[in-house]
Amino acid sequence: QPKDLIAQLKALLEIEHLHFIPWDINDFTGHADGMLRFIDEQTVLINDYAKEDKKFQLEFLKFINNTGLNTIEMPYHPPYDATYTSAAGLYLNYLEMEQAVLFPVFEFKHDEKALQVMQQVVKNKPVVPIIYHELAQYGGIINCITWNIKA
């Protein structure tokens, strides 16, 4: 039963709330870090899905509204091709480290706006733009190929 599974997950994770993100059927990975990223306990960065399928866009915004979280929109401009495998234009897949944020750019016209949003969000460390054309072709970017280890 779904309700039993949700109760078990809440107990195991020791949490009060559990939200399931609507799935973008065009995203073959199904990874949440390509859709939203926590900035703090009350704020998430989300993709600006204004140019996406309206049904998905409304479902996603309803989900975000129901969480009670504050949101900041990040530009979202993936290439639209038949494969949907490229992650180019997906700015949420950055890597935040103690010293800096490694931020993906793609030599797109939207790079500067995305970089400005990130610099406004992360005020206490440098945001370092790095071109990720080749890696993005395979469906991921810097956050996908790294592993966070708490030292």
Side-chain angles (χ1 to χ4, degrees), residues 70-122:
N70 300 316
T71 61
I72 300 170
E73 284 190 337
M74 178 66 76
Y76 177 70
H77 297 279
Y80 295 97
D81 63 16
T83 66
Y84 291 102
T85 56
S86 176
L90 178 59
Y91 299 101
L92 289 183
N93 206 296
Y94 59 87
L95 175 65
E96 185 170 1
M97 301 179 299
E98 189 174 322
Q99 309 85 349
V101 172
L102 301 183
F103 191 74
V105 293
F106 311 96
E107 297 180 314
F108 291 171
K109 67 179 180 179
H110 308 287
D111 288 353
E112 188 59 36
K113 173 66 175 160
L115 188 57
Q116 288 173 358
V117 170
M118 197 70 210
Q119 288 169 332
Q120 290 172 357
V121 168
V122 181

Side-chain angles (χ1 to χ4, degrees), residues 11-137:
L12 286 169
L13 297 171
E14 299 177 2
I15 58 174
E16 289 181 40
H17 305 286
L18 182 62
H19 299 277
F20 293 93
I21 301 169
W23 179 46
D24 179 358
I25 61 170
N26 294 323
D27 181 359
F28 74 96
T29 67
H31 292 181
D33 64 353
M35 300 174 74
L36 59 85
R37 295 285 301 266
F38 274 87
I39 299 302
D40 57 39
E41 289 184 15
Q42 296 299 317
T43 310
V44 289
L45 272 174
I46 62 170
N47 287 323
D48 176 359
Y49 284 126
K51 294 182 181 173
E52 294 301 302
D53 173 77
K54 289 297 177 200
K55 181 180 177 195
F56 171 74
Q57 178 189 10
L58 292 173
E59 189 177 339
F60 182 76
L61 292 175
K62 180 180 175 185
F63 155 77
I64 289 294
N65 246 3
N66 288 340
T67 66
L69 294 167
N70 300 316
T71 61
I72 300 170
E73 284 190 337
M74 178 66 76
Y76 177 70
H77 297 279
Y80 295 97
D81 63 16
T83 66
Y84 291 102
T85 56
S86 176
L90 178 59
Y91 299 101
L92 289 183
N93 206 296
Y94 59 87
L95 175 65
E96 185 170 1
M97 301 179 299
E98 189 174 322
Q99 309 85 349
V101 172
L102 301 183
F103 191 74
V105 293
F106 311 96
E107 297 180 314
F108 291 171
K109 67 179 180 179
H110 308 287
D111 288 353
E112 188 59 36
K113 173 66 175 160
L115 188 57
Q116 288 173 358
V117 170
M118 197 70 210
Q119 288 169 332
Q120 290 172 357
V121 168
V122 181
K123 296 178 177 94
N124 60 345
K125 59 183 94 174
V127 177
V128 181
I130 300 175
I131 298 170
Y132 282 102
H133 284 300
E134 188 172 343
L135 186 58
Q137 291 175 4

